[in-house]
Amino acid sequence: AVAVSVSGIATNATCFGGSDGSITVTNSAGATVVITNSTNQVVSNTNLPAGTYTLTATATGGNQGQNCTATATVTINDGDGTPPVISQLPNETTINCPVKPEFAQATATDNVDTTVSLAFDDVTTQGQCAGSYSVTRTWTAADDCGNTSTKSQTINVQDNTAPTITPPQNIILSSGVNCVTDISPTITGNPAYNDICDSNLSPPTYTDSECFGNSNNQEINAGNGNYFPFTITGFDGTLASNIEKIALTFETNQGKGRAEFTLIAPNGQGIILVGSYCTGGACDDATSNTKELYLPVFYSNSSGYTKWNNNNFIQDGVSQNFTPNGATSSTNTIPELTSYVSSFENFTGPMNGTWLIYSRKQANVNGSIEFKSVCLTPKATCLGNKVISRTWTVTDACGNTATANQTITIQDTTAPTVNASNNSSTVSCISAATIPTPPDATDECSGILNGVLFSTTDTPNPLTCEGTREYKYKYTDACGNFSYWVYTYTIEKADFTMPDNDGKTVACVADIVAPTV
């Protein structure tokens, strides 16, 4: 409400029909209202800023039936303290880092002033973790008389964005002294990592395993099923059939009968580990909601372990050894599958590549199945050779986690060392070139090795009492690395003579000829 005071209108007051000389800023008795400023410039009679104005009213046909004009001094002020009105701002919202808050532009109006000043102030409040915070922008509107109003907008920023991590390159190392290899990150490398929301990200940590797999707590659906891939590297030239074991973990709440888990090799061959679908008996318990954790470890059929069958009772919560179910057909359709095999021994493709665990819950049944983890351990070719899967993990302050895998291949490429100081001698006749006793050899991974006679070579023919005879021994470690030890006899004619059967003088027994009969 605007307070308006009018004075000095006694002259020609009867033009407005009022005996008391009153005047208003509204049209009265056909009067036309014009407001001018102190320099007689016409100004609008609405939304005027506070100030003093001259009001001129002109009426036609007043009480005297004549045209007349009255003037008055008008003072407009915000005497009642009415503040400006700020437009509606958006409600409190939440966004995800790294998106930055974007605030609405406020506007304000005043019932007197045509212009209103606007200013804002931001207050940031840190959340429970780095990358999580809230910002409140408070707008203040002020008119010329100092009347103010405020209105705020709050934007919450939450950090649901995982860090990024790039693992070191895969590396091949040689087995070291005593078959111990330094695989610390100073040798194998450290990952690169970053978090766009957390500037004080803690360094990654790592775990090592000689198995390759996937850990992902995920409920299995009854539609298209679920895939859990993992990659094996470092086994160049090794067939997929060289599987030492596969550890699988899954959980159900009404029995295992509705579960089937299939392992698919990089070449598309698959083997059913857990199956087949069944109901009743030891398969399920439709009345129970107690969670059952199954921890089977699968080996090749040659292991002789019991074959997994959903129809059989299997103790939950206990790790047990099995061979795969191995059924060669299923009601499931798996696009990546080319054929079924019944045992690990029947895989024909490469070990290296992307493997899959596929699972689909049996349709039209209750209960749940949750995949937890799988880990495949390839067979080691020898003690000194191994492949380590290193999983790097980085976690930000808000609990977001990222992982990356590095493959460390350790190869025993060092041949055994033969413990010998003497490897030759000279004799006067072939009969003196007796088989030597070979020394032993030392290997960093295989220990003490004995030599095996590899060959005997005469050059050119020591039976003439001139030439050489070599005995060659081979030392082979468990990884196929080998060394040779060669002992050489040099055959010389002796510095003596002896008669043969005919009384001739010879220098070697080999020169003795049979007598003439």
Side-chain angles (χ1 to χ4, degrees):
V2 179
V4 180
S5 61
V6 181
S7 62
I9 60 170
T11 305
N12 298 326
T14 57
C15 287
F16 293 90
S19 59
D20 58 356
S22 64
I23 191 170
T24 65
V25 295
T26 59
N27 200 4
S28 174
T32 300
V33 178
V34 178
I35 300 177
T36 59
N37 60 19
S38 58
T39 59
N40 294 320
Q41 293 175 327
V42 177
V43 297
S44 171
N45 62 352
T46 59
N47 296 322
L48 290 172
T52 300
Y53 301 88
T54 299
L55 183 149
T56 301
T58 301
T60 300
N63 289 353
Q64 308 298 321
Q66 57 185 322
N67 299 333
C68 58
T69 300
T71 61
T73 300
V74 179
T75 301
I76 300 175
N77 58 64
D78 277 354
D80 64 351
T82 302
V85 177
I86 300 177
S87 61
Q88 182 64 38
L89 294 175
N91 294 328
E92 182 174 340
T93 56
T94 299
I95 61 175
N96 291 325
C97 176
V99 178
K100 301 298 184 183
E102 292 186 4
F103 292 92
Q105 175 63 47
T107 60
T109 59
D110 189 77
N111 60 353
V112 174
D113 291 340
T114 58
T115 59
V116 178
S117 66
L118 273 171
F120 66 83
D121 181 57
D122 290 342
V123 176
T124 301
T125 303
Q126 181 61 48
Q128 294 182 348
C129 58
S132 175
Y133 60 95
S134 64
V135 182
T136 298
R137 174 165 291 183
T138 300
W139 292 89
T140 300
D143 63 18
D144 289 344
C145 293
N147 301 299
T148 62
S149 61
T150 60
K151 187 166 290 187
S152 298
Q153 178 188 359
T154 298
I155 299 178
N156 302 307
V157 181
Q158 61 184 5
D159 181 3
N160 290 330
T161 303
T164 59
I165 181 169
T166 302
Q169 291 185 342
N170 296 339
I171 190 171
I172 299 176
L173 303 175
S174 296
S175 57
V177 177
N178 297 323
C179 210
V180 176
T181 306
D182 184 0
I183 59 172
S184 63
T186 56
I187 301 297
T188 60
N190 284 285
Y193 59 97
N194 186 45
D195 191 288
I196 54 180
C197 300
D198 185 354
S199 59
N200 295 315
L201 188 63
S202 298
T205 59
Y206 67 87
T207 58
D208 288 342
S209 174
E210 293 185 31
C211 67
F212 299 80
N214 186 313
S215 296
N216 186 345
N217 293 345
Q218 185 171 338
E219 189 165 332
I220 305 301
N221 66 61
N224 294 325
N226 301 78
Y227 292 88
F228 304 97
F230 58 94
T231 300
I232 295 180
T233 60
F235 287 87
D236 298 344
T238 301
L239 293 177
S241 56
N242 289 296
I243 295 175
E244 178 182 338
K245 61 183 178 180
I246 295 176
L248 176 68
T249 305
F250 66 98
E251 188 176 72
T252 70
N253 70 345
Q254 289 186 10
K256 62 194 182 305
R258 54 193 48 82
E260 185 173 291
F261 286 90
T262 302
L263 173 72
I264 304 171
N267 72 340
Q269 292 177 320
I271 185 169
I272 297 176
L273 301 174
V274 170
S276 56
Y277 295 127
C278 63
T279 58
C283 293
D284 58 14
D285 183 356
T287 64
S288 173
N289 279 314
T290 302
K291 290 185 177 181
E292 302 160 355
L293 182 66
Y294 291 97
L295 305 162
V297 182
F298 296 97
Y299 290 84
S300 62
N301 284 13
S302 62
S303 66
Y305 289 124
T306 302
K307 179 181 294 188
W308 178 286
N309 191 319
N310 281 356
N311 285 285
N312 298 335
F313 170 76
I314 297 174
Q315 178 65 50
D316 62 293
V318 178
S319 179
Q320 297 169 272
N321 297 333
F322 296 92
T323 58
N325 175 266
T328 54
S329 64
S330 173
T331 58
N332 288 327
T333 299
I334 310 174
E336 294 77 10
L337 183 71
T338 58
S339 63
Y340 283 102
V341 298
S342 58
S343 68
F344 296 155
E345 292 95 322
N346 297 135
F347 279 126
T348 59
M351 177 67 74
N352 284 346
T354 298
W355 294 70
L356 298 171
I357 284 287
Y358 171 83
S359 182
R360 182 184 67 86
K361 192 182 85 165
Q362 185 183 20
N364 302 321
V365 293
N366 296 321
S368 65
I369 303 166
E370 184 177 296
F371 169 86
K372 291 190 172 296
S373 67
V374 66
C375 215
L376 187 156
T377 304
K379 288 181 180 177
T381 56
C382 61
L383 177 63
N385 288 356
K386 63 179 64 177
V387 177
I388 296 172
S389 177
R390 174 165 290 177
T391 301
W392 288 95
T393 301
V394 60
T395 303
D396 66 19
C398 294
N400 303 300
T401 297
T403 61
N405 293 319
Q406 177 192 18
T407 299
I408 302 170
T409 303
I410 300 174
Q411 296 180 342
D412 178 7
T413 58
T414 304
T417 301
V418 180
N419 303 314
S421 57
N422 182 31
N423 59 0
S424 66
S425 63
T426 300
V427 295
S428 61
C429 196
I430 190 64
S431 61
T434 59
I435 297 176
T437 300
D440 57 26
T442 302
D443 186 80
E444 295 293 348
C445 293
S446 299
I448 302 299
L449 301 174
N450 295 320
V452 176
L453 183 61
F454 182 76
S455 64
T456 302
T457 304
D458 293 335
T459 305
N461 183 359
L463 293 179
T464 63
C465 291
E466 289 181 310
T468 61
R469 169 166 285 185
E470 291 183 349
Y471 291 94
K472 190 174 187 178
Y473 288 83
K474 186 176 184 179
Y475 301 79
T476 306
D477 67 16
C479 293
N481 304 299
F482 56 86
S483 298
Y484 291 109
W485 178 74
V486 177
Y487 194 89
T488 302
Y489 285 106
T490 300
I491 312 299
E492 295 182 339
K493 285 191 175 183
D495 294 331
F496 66 89
T497 60
M498 61 179 297
D500 63 7
N501 293 328
D502 293 331
K504 298 177 180 180
T505 299
V506 296
C508 185
V509 175
D511 292 335
I512 301 175
V513 298
T516 301
V517 179

